[in-house]
Amino acid sequence: MTSRTFTRLPNIINVFLMLSLVFSGNILQRAKSLGINYGQVGNNLPSPDKVINLLRSLRITKTRIYDTNPQILTSFANSNIEIIVTIENQVLTLLQDPQQALQWVDSHIKPYIPATRITGIMVGNELYTDEDSSLIGYMMPAMINIHKALVQLGLDRYIEVSSPSSLAVLAESYPPSAGSFKPEVSSVMQQLLQFLEATKSPFWINAYPYFAYKDNPNKIPIDYVLFNRNIGMTDPNTRLHYDNMMYAQVDAVAYAAAKLGYRNLEVRVAETGWPSKGDAGEVGASPTNAATYNRNLMMRQFAGEGTPARRNSRLDVYIFALFNEDMKPGPTSEKNYGVFRPDGSLAYNLGFSTMSTTTANSESVTYSSYATKAKTTVEYWAILMLAMIQVVMSRLF
């Protein structure tokens, strides 16, 4: 037996372990690291009760909304779907006052607990960008006041408080081990990391390999950003090998946190996705690439993968987004990140045929799909098994 054969043995063993997970059903536990963002910037979206069935058709039990929509929070009661809510950026100035923060939690969160499984509060979204740094100063007082309000109302044991950052907070991200925060935000990041460690909450980032590829398609291999088989890159400092950009981005944030003294803080992905349509200059925005990115990402989530720097820690990821949103401002791509169209049809073929019923014109998810649950469950696991084998075998040869 050659040394090459020996190196393949652990991967071959992984194939059989995954097969046993599939047939035992235990893989559903690992799939709990996958969530999806439920944006509402559209004028033709389905009602929240139909959204619940869509999430179930995807076998996803976690979602995030960008506000505290009462209709959604009420509809999700007793659904057993975990939901993260968001405090809109424009509200943060109000929450500098502890009493206002207490009133906000008392009126926006407490009425829905425990029937609705609110597990997190995002305080703002991307409060620092290259274009706007005016909001980040409001972040820490608002987070501290919201957490104190949760403690006062006895809700802190259920709900984590954090704030998702864009990769604009990084001064360096390549190679991952060189990850560091920009000097202008390092003081705020130090406060944030200290708060997250004290409250046992994760650091959330929005990671979009699509943007890096769009800006430099001639130098960044498309397979590297789509999770396809590729030669990848090796970090010269750690000798860790990366076969996709998103994991490299996550580890860059982890190394940046470590440089400030927080080596064990969990990093999660609040948003990642790929647009299925874009303007003429938006290179790579297509249904094929969107399907490939999300399908490959989902397979890795079902396999319970961690990043190269944290192999033994499952990476929590929220896909952006559940729906195309026709009222979002900006380029065409911003309106076309959805896995679904507003009418409930798939925006592209994810490759999981049991999630949909094919019609002459589209692949429409059946809102009442659980009427045929016995039939589709067998088909689902068969397709999932084959897809997982494909992911693992691609690493063997």
Side-chain angles (χ1 to χ4, degrees), residues 293-361:
Y293 184 86
N294 285 323
R295 179 173 59 247
N296 287 342
L297 173 60
M298 290 173 75
M299 284 300 96
R300 288 172 183 253
Q301 289 301 109
F302 285 132
E305 279 195 350
T307 65
R310 295 177 172 178
R311 288 283 185 199
N312 297 323
S313 298
R314 184 181 67 191
L315 176 65
D316 276 38
V317 175
Y318 280 64
I319 293 173
F320 187 87
L322 188 58
F323 296 111
N324 287 338
E325 299 172 76
D326 64 345
M327 295 177 65
K328 291 195 74 172
T332 298
S333 62
E334 287 295 314
K335 301 173 175 64
N336 289 279
Y337 274 90
V339 174
F340 292 97
R341 300 184 187 96
D343 65 0
S345 64
L346 285 168
Y348 42 79
N349 184 6
L350 270 174
F352 304 121
S353 63
T354 59
M355 293 178 183
S356 62
T357 57
T358 303
T359 67
N361 299 316

Side-chain angles (χ1 to χ4, degrees), residues 177-335:
S177 61
S180 61
F181 292 114
K182 289 179 177 176
E184 57 265 40
V185 299
S186 61
S187 176
V188 175
M189 288 296 110
Q190 178 77 44
Q191 297 174 54
L192 173 61
L193 296 169
Q194 183 179 11
F195 172 87
L196 297 177
E197 183 178 68
T199 60
K200 296 181 173 58
S201 300
F203 189 111
W204 290 93
I205 62 164
N206 296 341
Y208 286 93
Y210 164 71
F211 292 134
Y213 176 77
K214 176 179 69 72
D215 293 340
N216 208 347
N218 295 324
K219 290 188 177 180
I220 298 176
I222 186 67
D223 287 331
Y224 180 62
V225 293
L226 291 179
F227 296 95
N228 282 333
R229 183 184 176 192
N230 67 96
I231 61 173
M233 60 82 66
T234 299
D235 188 312
N237 301 316
T238 62
R239 307 309 300 169
L240 293 174
H241 182 260
Y242 291 83
D243 66 358
N244 70 86
M245 180 177 284
M246 194 192 80
Y247 286 2
Q249 291 174 333
V250 171
D251 279 352
V253 173
Y255 281 111
K259 287 180 173 67
L260 294 182
Y262 299 89
R263 298 183 178 277
N264 299 317
L265 196 67
E266 183 182 4
V267 178
R268 297 179 183 175
V269 178
E271 292 181 14
T272 191
W274 198 282
S276 60
K277 187 179 180 181
D279 295 321
E282 296 187 292
V283 180
S286 71
T288 299
N289 287 342
T292 300
Y293 184 86
N294 285 323
R295 179 173 59 247
N296 287 342
L297 173 60
M298 290 173 75
M299 284 300 96
R300 288 172 183 253
Q301 289 301 109
F302 285 132
E305 279 195 350
T307 65
R310 295 177 172 178
R311 288 283 185 199
N312 297 323
S313 298
R314 184 181 67 191
L315 176 65
D316 276 38
V317 175
Y318 280 64
I319 293 173
F320 187 87
L322 188 58
F323 296 111
N324 287 338
E325 299 172 76
D326 64 345
M327 295 177 65
K328 291 195 74 172
T332 298
S333 62
E334 287 295 314
K335 301 173 175 64

Side-chain angles (χ1 to χ4, degrees), residues 20-173:
S20 67
L21 284 170
V22 169
F23 285 115
S24 67
N26 290 335
I27 196 167
L28 282 174
Q29 290 296 114
R30 294 183 178 270
K32 288 184 178 180
S33 62
L34 179 66
I36 196 163
N37 289 277
Y38 173 11
Q40 306 152 56
V41 190
N43 60 9
N44 52 359
L45 300 179
S47 61
D49 59 313
K50 291 182 177 179
V51 170
I52 291 172
N53 285 332
L54 280 178
L55 293 174
R56 286 171 173 164
S57 76
L58 288 169
R59 275 66 174 181
I60 288 177
T61 60
K62 294 182 177 182
T63 191
R64 174 196 171 197
I65 58 175
Y66 290 83
D67 53 19
T68 52
N69 185 315
Q71 184 183 6
I72 292 175
L73 294 180
T74 300
S75 297
F76 274 64
N78 303 311
S79 68
N80 207 33
I81 293 174
E82 298 180 15
I83 186 166
I84 296 174
V85 301
T86 305
I87 300 174
E88 300 95 321
N89 290 358
Q90 62 269 25
V91 179
L92 298 189
T93 54
L94 179 70
L95 301 180
Q96 306 302 290
D97 179 354
Q99 190 59 37
Q100 292 289 341
L102 178 62
Q103 290 179 14
W104 188 92
V105 173
D106 192 51
S107 60
H108 289 77
I109 303 297
K110 186 179 178 181
Y112 306 101
I113 300 293
T116 302
R117 295 189 63 191
I118 300 174
T119 59
I121 298 175
M122 296 294 202
V123 179
N125 185 53
E126 294 190 349
L127 297 178
Y128 177 89
T129 67
D130 290 329
E131 293 77 29
D132 185 5
S133 60
S134 63
L135 291 173
I136 196 167
Y138 297 112
M139 178 177 69
M140 289 314 304
M143 290 181 67
I144 291 169
N145 288 339
I146 288 294
H147 177 69
K148 286 181 177 178
L150 290 171
V151 172
Q152 187 170 339
L153 295 172
L155 302 176
D156 58 302
R157 63 185 181 275
Y158 305 114
I159 301 171
E160 297 173 336
V161 178
S162 191
S163 182
S165 299
S166 76
L167 293 177
V169 299
L170 294 181
E172 299 289 342
S173 61

Side-chain angles (χ1 to χ4, degrees), residues 295 385-395:
R295 179 173 59 247
M385 176 188 72
L386 293 173
M388 290 180 64
I389 291 173
Q390 182 180 6
V391 169
V392 178
M393 294 302 288
S394 69
R395 300 186 179 193

